[in-house]
Amino acid sequence: MYNLIAWHLDGNESPIDATIREVKEEAWINIKRKDLNFERVAYSPLWDGREYIQFYFSCRNWSWTIKNMELDRCYGMDFFPINNLPKNITPYIKEAINDYINTINYSEY
């Protein structure tokens, strides 16, 4: 299933810094802090008692040739038009994209 690039904070790291780091580590894309726009945050409690807070950013300017840097975890990467997404998207990511389209900045899963 398709997902978005995701991350955990490495300690002493902001969500923006983690986004920049992970995008580079996972997809070989270089982005700059000034090009990231905060879009939304989501809260997700899990069945085992853990809780996640997910930050979503958009980026309209980057330098790249997309490259899958995690072949052991990811079968492929691609960009899709937001109005023509594939059917096999992780459900919570599909909800996050719909919230983005509808300018909903906070949700709970």
Side-chain angles (χ1 to χ4, degrees):
M1 297 187 83
Y2 283 101
N3 206 335
L4 298 174
I5 293 172
W7 45 263
H8 292 93
L9 297 175
D10 276 352
N12 210 19
E13 181 178 51
S14 74
I16 289 176
D17 291 335
T19 300
I20 292 168
R21 174 182 54 78
E22 282 294 327
V23 168
K24 177 71 171 185
E25 288 178 6
E26 294 183 15
W28 205 247
I29 296 172
N30 292 308
I31 56 178
K32 295 179 181 170
R33 175 181 273 278
K34 69 179 179 71
D35 294 324
L36 285 173
N37 297 310
F38 171 76
E39 299 296 346
R40 61 186 312 277
V41 66
Y43 169 73
S44 303
L46 299 180
W47 66 95
D48 62 2
R50 292 180 297 155
E51 299 171 289
Y52 285 97
I53 297 175
Q54 302 155 354
F55 293 87
Y56 293 85
F57 298 93
S58 64
C59 181
R60 301 214 187 275
N61 186 31
W62 62 86
S63 61
W64 64 284
T65 298
I66 191 171
K67 181 178 179 185
N68 183 0
M69 301 302 291
E70 295 188 338
L71 296 172
D72 60 326
R73 295 178 165 187
C74 177
Y75 295 110
M77 294 183 164
D78 210 340
F79 287 102
F80 300 98
I82 201 162
N83 59 351
N84 191 23
L85 298 173
K87 302 254 187 261
N88 57 334
I89 295 177
T90 306
Y92 77 93
I93 295 301
K94 185 175 184 173
E95 184 175 333
I97 292 169
N98 286 332
D99 286 351
Y100 169 77
I101 290 167
N102 293 300
T103 61
I104 298 170
N105 301 102
Y106 177 79
S107 63
E108 297 180 4
Y109 301 120

